[in-house]
């Protein structure tokens, strides 16, 4: 949707405004709820979760800062104790799952990066 957000004249009527409002609403919901886990499989890595935020927010996130923030948010994810086998050299990634089913508010929001 980024090309359409940059050039809303490509859309008819007020559809550019409608699209921009919808994208902003989803971006805001990622800050305050567990919505991001809905885009992933039941078990996922924190890198998978970070990818959801990066795509929707349109900004890269610092991996270790993201991991620290997510794992400290007590009502968000829980480690499964399993590891994802890696196709690349290095340590396999730990697997997580959503702490609860469905979309729930977070006690501490995930901070959205500010555009520079």
């Amino acid at each position: 949707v980024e090309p359409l957000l940059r050039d809303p004249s490509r859309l008819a009527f007020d559809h550019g405004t409608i699209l921009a409002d919808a994208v902003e609403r989803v971006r805001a919901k990622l800050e305050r709820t567990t919505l991001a886990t809905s885009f992933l499989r039941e078990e996922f890595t924190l890198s998978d979760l970070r990818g959801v935020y990066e795509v929707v927010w349109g900004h890269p996130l610092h991996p270790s800062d993201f991991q620290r923030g997510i794992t400290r948010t007590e009502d968000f994810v829980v480690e499964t104790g399993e590891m994802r086998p890696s196709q690349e050299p290095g340590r396999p990634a730990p697997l997580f799952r959503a702490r609860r089913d469905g979309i729930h508010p977070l006690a501490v929001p995930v901070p959205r990066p500010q555009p520079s």
Side-chain angles (χ1 to χ4, degrees):
V1 299
E2 287 301 322
L4 295 174
L5 291 173
R6 282 192 298 273
D7 184 12
S9 67
R10 294 171 49 190
L11 299 171
F13 311 109
D14 62 345
H15 295 166
T17 302
I18 293 168
L19 179 63
D21 290 348
V23 169
E24 178 53 34
R25 185 169 177 163
V26 171
R27 287 175 175 167
K29 282 195 176 278
L30 285 187
E31 287 180 278
R32 299 184 319 269
T33 71
T34 59
L35 174 66
T37 60
S38 301
F39 295 102
L40 299 169
R41 295 175 183 214
E42 185 176 335
E43 293 183 346
F44 51 85
T45 66
L46 292 181
S47 178
D48 297 334
L49 184 60
R50 188 179 75 246
V52 171
Y53 281 91
E54 290 175 339
V55 167
V56 175
W57 284 346
H59 294 283
L61 301 173
H62 191 274
S64 59
D65 291 345
F66 179 81
Q67 179 176 340
R68 189 172 26 261
I70 294 300
T71 55
R72 287 184 181 167
T73 303
E74 154 179 333
D75 52 350
F76 202 166
V77 298
V78 62
E79 198 164 350
T80 65
E82 301 293 322
M83 303 291 261
R84 175 177 288 168
S86 177
Q87 305 297 332
E88 301 173 17
R91 224 173 71 190
L95 290 170
F96 291 80
R97 63 177 166 74
R99 185 167 295 275
R100 302 183 287 177
D101 290 334
I103 300 169
H104 301 281
L106 294 172
V108 178
V110 177
R112 188 185 333 181
Q114 298 303 313
S116 30

